[in-house]
Amino acid sequence: MSEQPAPYDMYTAATFDEAGIPVLLIGDSASNDVFGNKTSLPVTVDQLLPLVRAVSGAARQALAIADLPFGSYEASAEQCFHTAVRFMKEAGAHAVKPEGGEEMVPEHVGAEITRSVAVPTVGIGARNGCDAQVLVWQDMAGPRTGQLPRFVKRYADVHGVLREAAQNFAADVAKGTFPAPEHTF
C-alpha cells in the first residue's frame, strides 16, 4: 500500500519526499486549501500548473501526479490528452489523473474493484482495500482547523506550532529583541 499526501509547494513536497512518501498528488483540493474556495469546482488548469511545477521540481524520488480538474478533460479524449500534455510538459508532472467519480464507494466495493482491475486504485477513507491512500496534508498535519472529514487522521498540529512561532516573533519584535545584532547585516 502506498501513501499519497497532497502537497502544493516545494518545501512540503521536499519534506514528504525526504520522508519516503512514494507518490505526491497535487490535487484539485488546492481550490480549497490554497485558494480559499468552498469547493474544488472553481480551480483551473492555469492555477494548478505552478503548484505542480513546484512539487515536481522539489521531488527527487517521489512520483508527482497532477489532478486534471473538473472541466479540463470531460469534453473529449482529445481535450483530456491536451490537458495532460500541458501538466506533463509545462509543469513536469510524472502522471495525471482525471478528477471525479463516485463520492462514496463502500469499503467492500473499493476492495473488489482493486482485485478486479489491472490499474492502481486510490482511496480516501476507503479503509485498506485500495492500492494507495491519499490525504490532504493540511488535514493530516493540522494547519486546517475546525471540523474534519471522518476519514482524516490528524498526525500533527502544525497550526498550533505555527501560531506559537508567530506569537513569539510578534512578541520579540514588540519588545525590540528581534532583530538582534546577530540577525542584521
Side-chain angles (χ1 to χ4, degrees):
M1 183 172 305
S2 173
E3 320 75 30
Q4 296 184 4
Y8 310 109
D9 66 274
M10 63 184 268
Y11 295 119
T12 307
T15 300
F16 291 157
D17 189 65
E18 185 180 317
I21 301 292
V23 177
L24 303 176
L25 176 66
I26 308 91
D28 66 346
S29 55
S31 182
N32 312 70
D33 296 317
V34 174
F35 300 113
N37 297 315
K38 298 278 187 224
T39 71
S40 60
L41 194 62
V43 77
T44 67
V45 169
D46 288 335
Q47 288 175 311
L48 289 178
L49 283 170
L51 306 181
V52 174
R53 189 176 309 114
V55 170
S56 65
R60 298 292 171 244
Q61 302 295 320
L63 184 70
I65 300 179
D67 265 348
L68 301 185
F70 178 76
S72 70
Y73 66 92
E74 295 89 348
S76 67
E78 185 176 333
Q79 180 196 30
C80 184
F81 171 78
H82 288 295
T83 304
V85 166
R86 284 194 70 194
F87 274 106
M88 296 177 90
K89 189 172 186 172
E90 295 176 36
H94 303 121
V96 296
K97 80 169 193 58
E99 181 54 43
E102 284 296 315
E103 283 291 317
M104 302 296 278
V105 175
E107 173 189 345
H108 69 280
V109 175
E112 182 61 33
I113 291 170
T114 300
R115 285 191 295 274
S116 302
V117 298
V119 295
T121 61
V122 178
I124 185 164
R127 292 254 178 134
N128 58 5
C130 295
D131 296 308
Q133 294 295 321
V134 66
L135 272 181
V136 173
W137 89 263
Q138 286 87 342
D139 296 341
M140 173 195 69
R144 176 183 171 183
T145 60
Q147 182 72 27
L148 294 173
R150 179 180 165 161
F151 57 81
V152 171
K153 179 176 179 180
R154 180 64 53 90
Y155 288 87
D157 180 19
V158 171
H159 173 79
V161 171
L162 187 56
R163 183 186 60 235
E164 182 179 346
Q167 290 168 336
N168 292 339
F169 167 70
D172 283 356
V173 171
K175 291 185 290 190
T177 58
F178 181 83
E182 66 268 21
H183 305 119
T184 58
F185 294 103

